[in-house]
Amino acid sequence: EKLEKIKREEEQRIHREKVLVEQTSKILQTLPPEPDTGDNTTQLVIRLSDGTRVQRRFLNTDTLELVVAFISTKENFNEKVLETHFPKTVLKDLNMTLKMAGLCPKATIFVVSQTKPL
């Protein structure tokens, strides 16, 4: 019985990983290529929720939604938010462009787990 449970859990884990790889592949296909450095680009340093640091250039006119799509290729974004720390701001409107969000020409943003009220 314990062996069957372990086998079932392993099959579920493998299925979840397969689904995640498929989702990541689909997202990567829809992401535009990283733009060259220029006056109309923003360099973002993104601190993932596990502390990992990734960097990518985006167009100033790209939306936070595109940034979240990029982040979703690195980690599950469910129940997380984007924040800046100087000043501390939660970036809630994902339709906002990077320029509108004040992230140009470069910025650091943080992926933070949402805390649920008790």
Side-chain angles (χ1 to χ4, degrees):
E1 193 172 300
K2 284 185 179 182
L3 191 57
E4 287 179 26
K5 181 180 178 185
I6 292 170
K7 184 179 177 184
R8 238 184 353 264
E9 288 173 351
E10 181 65 11
E11 287 172 351
Q12 290 172 346
R13 184 189 65 76
I14 290 170
H15 176 72
R16 283 192 306 271
E17 285 182 10
K18 184 179 177 185
V19 168
L20 183 60
V21 166
E22 289 172 359
Q23 289 173 340
T24 300
S25 176
K26 286 179 185 176
I27 292 169
L28 284 171
Q29 290 173 9
T30 63
L31 279 177
E34 184 172 11
D36 293 330
T37 302
D39 292 341
N40 63 340
T41 61
T42 297
Q43 177 71 41
L44 288 183
V45 174
I46 303 164
R47 286 276 182 185
L48 302 177
S49 60
D50 68 359
T52 304
R53 182 178 177 253
V54 294
Q55 294 185 63
R56 189 181 192 279
R57 283 181 308 278
F58 294 88
L59 295 174
N60 296 344
T61 55
D62 285 339
T63 63
L64 290 170
E65 186 173 37
L66 185 66
V67 175
V68 168
F70 171 73
I71 292 168
S72 296
T73 67
K74 308 293 182 193
E75 74 171 304
N76 185 338
F77 195 77
N78 289 343
E79 298 185 17
K80 296 191 174 113
V81 294
L82 296 178
E83 288 185 353
T84 61
H85 285 190
F86 302 105
K88 184 163 180 142
T89 306
V90 176
L91 302 169
K92 294 179 183 177
D93 182 0
L94 298 182
N95 293 316
M96 196 179 333
T97 67
L98 300 181
K99 189 169 187 170
M100 291 167 54
L103 301 175
C104 300
K106 61 183 179 177
T108 299
I109 58 175
F110 300 82
V111 179
V112 180
S113 294
Q114 287 181 318
T115 54
K116 295 183 179 180
L118 301 175

